[in-house]
Amino acid sequence: MREFYNDIINIRRMVFAAIARIAYEDEDLKKLGDETYRLIPGEKAHYRENVFRERAVIGERLRLALGLDARTAAETGPISEGIENVDVDTRVYTPPLVSVIKIACEACAEKTVFVTNNCRKCLAHPCKNVCPKNAITIEKSGAVIDQAKCIKCGRCKTECPYHAIVEYGRPCAASCGVNAIKSDYLGRAEIDDSKCVACGNCIQECPFGAISDKSEIFQLIKAITSGKEVYAIIAPSFVGQFGALTTPEQVFDGIRELGIKDVVEVGLGADLTTLNEAKEFVETVPEKDPFMGTSCCYSWKLMVEKNFPEINDYISESSTPMVYTSHHIKKNHPDSKVVFIGPCISKKLEALQDHVKDYVDFVITFEELMGMFVAKEIEPAEIEVDGKIKDASVTGRGYAVGGGVAQAVKERIHEINPDMDVKVECIEGLAECVKIMRLAKLGMKNGLLLEGMACKNGCIGGPGTVVSAARARKSVATFSKESPYKSPADNDNINPEDMPK
Amino acid sequence: MKIVVCVGSNCTMMGADSIIASLENLKETILKKEGVNPVFDLDIEIARCLGECKIKKAVSPVVVVDGVIYHNASREEIMSVVLDAAFDNILTK
Ligand code: SF4
Ligand code: FES
């Protein structure tokens, strides 16, 4: 969550709450246009230059939240166009998951070096003297950079005694670790789907709120209200997300009040991931494989698959906590539907994979769940609860925070073989992940257990979170300590036959 | 000065958490500086849904400063209310 982007965050969340309300109240989707007036009332603009554009953008957001594709201005027709296709109770969305809302994009310049009005037009003009392309002239107004000549080396910027020269780029492109953002013919951002790994960084970073993913809340709620038996599995980072006075147990009860049959911690699946990865590491590194990468962050996994095929085999074969937990549910309740609730959007993509799609029926984020609470006027903090949640071990709960996965696997390896000294390296942020994998390819990470996380701070820093990572970190730590299981091997919720042999 | 930040569902969704964070940050930074009225004390409380959001739509986040209710509270607004009071030495003069 980008703390100081409040308006953008709030608009996004209001849209989720609106769609959730429409779904629960079974309102006619044909009237979706009315919602844009409810969300942006009056005639004074608050966010953009005029209220019409504000409504148009929020209209596209509403459509994306229903699972529809983002449209360009040329395609923008009636807001309810194509709506019958998404008015169902099963997952409908198809890739791309992350797209640019073209009518919101301000077509920020790609990398630019620019003279601001701080320029005093000084006599020394070191900017001009240092420019290797002779791109700077001193005009009446001050220094001017000929953009056609400029090679963006930034030397002038360093030399200016008044800090009058700035270098800036597109926030979206700068935030993308895999260089997936290009320009379209109008200079607006365009995401190259073949490169995108759906980490959600650009969604958080665009200062105009012009990038969004698609949501499945509408279809999820339809599944609930049509009487399907829906189970929720919730990622370890959920603690502390739903109000500073809400306990984890109250979150679970709140989810049940939404019409969901029951909730299980994904920490349970995380325990299985730990057990499997530890076993795998002991058996394969360094004899068979030079190093092992963790497998739970799907964006990281996808990044390696797309960019480093030659070392892709060294990513652990163990399944992700989401997959193990969904198997656990479907085994006990074969006819049920499973919704994964997490901080992450790339899980929406993971859930479309052939080996996952029958186990995970829906994926929503914490923000989207918050929207459902608001739509149903549920106050989790006011629910009377008794008992404690006991689905996962201490280290399974620790998966939420960067470094937690490696820590869990390391501790488990130590249980299997106390003499084995495992070296770990934890990488946070997609760009950083790419850097480290380049080194790994050169053999410079041999012998290591590499934990890769596309988000800074790990899952608590994910694009679908409600509260800042700093606060979430504390809540996760407290809840983790409360677990009755010190080791994932002690977790007696796991069916014995699912334990790795 | 007593500030109550509502952390009910609506207010949490609309950013109550970041208001608390910025107030706590003030306490650690500017309010430790010189010039703060010595009798000034900032007490930050969090509360369950204050009921405001149920009476009227679109009022979150709700913050109460010494009994005065702020609808659609923004962190900059609340921080400035705090600082105005903290650096007001007229009372002690
Ligand atoms: S940062 Fe936002 S507005 Fe600027 S180019 Fe990227 S998507 Fe468009
Ligand atoms: S949630 Fe704050 S007033 Fe209801």
Side-chain angles (χ1 to χ4, degrees):
Chain A
M1 193 197 57
R2 189 82 153 85
E3 269 228 74
F4 299 110
Y5 278 18
N6 353 7
D7 283 345
I8 289 170
I9 294 171
N10 289 352
I11 291 171
R12 179 168 74 222
R13 294 179 184 169
M14 273 155 47
V15 165
F16 297 145
I19 292 294
R21 187 191 55 79
I22 292 173
Y24 272 117
E25 292 177 5
D26 205 18
E27 228 172 64
D28 185 3
L29 276 185
K30 288 260 156 359
K31 294 208 191 111
L32 193 62
D34 298 354
E35 204 54 40
T36 63
Y37 289 88
R38 231 173 280 155
L39 291 167
I40 314 271
E43 48 186 352
K44 262 174 53 199
H46 287 98
Y47 313 112
R48 300 178 198 271
E49 69 276 36
N50 64 56
V51 77
F52 306 110
R53 185 162 177 216
E54 288 181 353
R55 286 198 191 110
V57 173
I58 221 158
E60 288 311 299
R61 283 197 165 272
L62 288 164
R63 289 175 54 89
L64 282 154
L66 288 170
L68 289 159
D69 280 320
R71 303 180 292 184
T72 64
E75 297 152 353
T76 306
I79 187 173
S80 53
E81 195 174 48
I83 232 136
E84 46 306 328
N85 304 326
V86 292
D87 196 356
V88 293
D89 61 3
T90 49
R91 168 169 53 216
V92 278
Y93 98 90
T94 48
L97 175 62
V98 185
S99 33
V100 178
I101 305 171
K102 296 283 178 171
I103 58 169
C105 178
E106 290 288 334
C108 311
E110 290 181 38
K111 199 170 171 190
T112 311
V113 181
F114 179 77
V115 185
T116 66
N117 60 8
N118 230 21
C119 174
R120 306 266 293 124
K121 201 184 166 189
C122 67
L123 202 145
H125 50 65
C127 54
K128 177 169 164 26
N129 305 346
V130 79
C131 176
K133 287 286 288 176
N134 197 15
I136 300 187
T137 47
I138 309 295
E139 318 261 319
K140 256 212 188 104
S141 58
V144 172
I145 300 175
D146 180 344
Q147 292 298 338
K149 284 190 185 165
C150 171
I151 52 164
K152 336 282 177 212
C153 68
R155 287 192 191 174
C156 53
K157 176 187 146 203
T158 328
E159 284 309 318
C160 175
Y162 295 106
H163 305 292
I165 303 181
V166 291
E167 191 184 315
Y168 69 90
R170 287 180 157 168
C172 51
S175 76
C176 181
V178 292
N179 274 328
I181 302 194
K182 298 208 215 40
S183 295
D184 69 8
Y185 78 112
L186 287 175
R188 298 169 304 192
E190 176 128 295
I191 299 174
D192 180 346
D193 203 36
S194 69
K195 287 187 175 172
C196 175
V197 296
C199 69
N201 257 324
C202 57
I203 298 181
Q204 301 195 78
E205 292 299 324
C206 172
F208 286 98
I211 306 184
S212 173
D213 62 328
K214 294 174 189 164
S215 171
E216 307 171 2
I217 23 173
F218 183 84
Q219 292 80 18
L220 164 67
I221 296 171
K222 288 293 160 201
I224 295 172
T225 53
S226 68
K228 292 195 174 140
E229 199 176 68
V230 181
Y231 284 82
I233 58 176
I234 192 159
S237 46
F238 81 98
V239 199
Q241 294 287 330
F242 304 97
L245 288 171
T246 311
T247 63
E249 285 74 19
Q250 287 172 322
V251 176
F252 273 39
D253 265 5
I255 294 174
R256 290 185 195 106
E257 286 191 10
L258 289 168
I260 285 172
K261 191 88 207 267
D262 210 349
V263 195
V264 171
E265 286 182 74
V266 170
L268 183 146
D271 282 341
L272 277 164
T273 302
T274 306
L275 293 167
N276 281 293
E277 286 193 354
K279 180 168 181 277
E280 202 181 328
F281 190 91
V282 172
E283 287 170 1
T284 60
V285 181
E287 289 75 21
K288 257 184 79 226
D289 294 344
F291 67 89
M292 189 178 96
T294 55
S295 65
C296 47
C297 170
Y298 190 64
S299 291
W300 144 265
K301 212 165 150 176
L302 209 55
M303 180 279 288
V304 179
E305 197 181 301
K306 287 187 179 187
N307 299 280
F308 300 93
E310 42 308 68
I311 49 174
N312 192 26
D313 282 352
Y314 309 147
I315 298 296
S316 163
E317 280 166 13
S318 308
S319 292
T320 62
M322 172 176 90
V323 171
Y324 284 129
T325 316
S326 63
H327 282 197
H328 178 86
I329 302 262
K330 292 257 168 152
K331 200 169 192 177
N332 302 332
H333 314 279
D335 294 326
S336 66
K337 298 279 165 207
V338 169
V339 54
F340 171 86
I341 308 172
C344 175
I345 62 163
S346 72
K347 291 283 169 194
K348 296 181 182 180
L349 219 54
E350 183 186 351
L352 295 184
Q353 305 307 300
D354 279 338
H355 64 288
V356 187
K357 66 180 196 305
D358 297 329
Y359 294 96
V360 181
D361 300 276
F362 301 99
V363 173
I364 65 166
T365 64
F366 297 147
E367 276 190 331
E368 289 161 351
L369 177 63
M370 194 77 228
M372 290 171 70
F373 285 147
V374 166
K376 284 284 272 179
E377 298 195 358
I378 293 172
E379 293 293 341
E382 289 170 18
I383 304 173
E384 297 275 342
V385 289
D386 46 17
K388 285 273 173 202
I389 307 170
K390 288 185 193 140
D391 299 338
S393 77
V394 172
T395 59
R397 288 179 178 174
Y399 267 54
V401 179
V405 182
Q407 179 65 26
V409 177
K410 189 178 167 161
E411 280 181 26
R412 177 60 191 157
I413 293 174
H414 195 73
E415 285 174 13
I416 304 175
N417 180 357
D419 299 328
M420 194 167 174
D421 178 33
V422 203
K423 295 226 165 20
V424 301
E425 185 168 334
C426 305
I427 320 142
E428 294 173 13
L430 193 59
E432 212 41 44
C433 290
V434 173
K435 252 191 239 160
I436 298 295
M437 283 321 258
R438 279 206 194 103
L439 299 177
K441 196 168 131 184
L442 299 172
M444 290 163 79
K445 297 291 165 193
N446 287 357
L448 290 183
L449 169 65
L450 292 180
E451 177 194 297
M453 291 283 168
C455 294
K456 297 231 168 67
N457 292 306
C459 306
I460 50 169
T465 52
V466 182
V467 304
S468 71
R471 290 181 162 267
R473 186 180 291 269
K474 288 185 206 148
S475 314
V476 167
T478 316
F479 184 56
S480 167
K481 279 194 220 104
E482 282 174 15
S483 166
Y485 317 112
K486 286 272 155 310
S487 158
D490 306 337
N491 188 341
D492 50 24
N493 300 293
I494 299 173
N495 301 330
E497 70 269 22
D498 294 335
M499 288 279 189
K501 297 284 142 356
Chain B
M1 174 174 263
K2 185 175 152 187
I3 299 197
V4 182
V5 182
C6 174
V7 294
S9 291
N10 262 294
C11 293
T12 297
M13 180 172 97
M14 298 304 272
D17 178 72
S18 65
I19 296 181
I20 304 170
S22 29
L23 290 175
E24 282 173 352
N25 175 275
L26 275 192
K27 254 186 139 161
E28 293 307 310
T29 56
I30 305 181
L31 291 180
K32 283 201 169 150
K33 290 213 174 110
E34 253 173 72
V36 174
N37 187 324
V39 301
F40 181 82
D41 183 43
L42 180 61
D43 175 21
I44 312 164
E45 248 180 47
I46 51 178
R48 292 173 181 176
C49 173
L50 296 172
E52 294 290 312
C53 66
K54 308 286 183 307
I55 303 168
K56 203 167 168 262
K57 293 271 164 236
V59 293
S60 292
V62 176
V63 175
V64 186
V65 183
D66 281 340
V68 182
I69 301 178
Y70 287 78
H71 285 168
N72 303 111
S74 68
R75 58 157 99 63
E76 56 273 27
E77 185 183 19
I78 303 299
M79 283 193 292
S80 101
V81 172
V82 172
L83 289 195
D84 284 351
F87 287 93
D88 181 2
N89 283 322
I90 296 166
L91 294 173
T92 41
K93 260 181 209 154

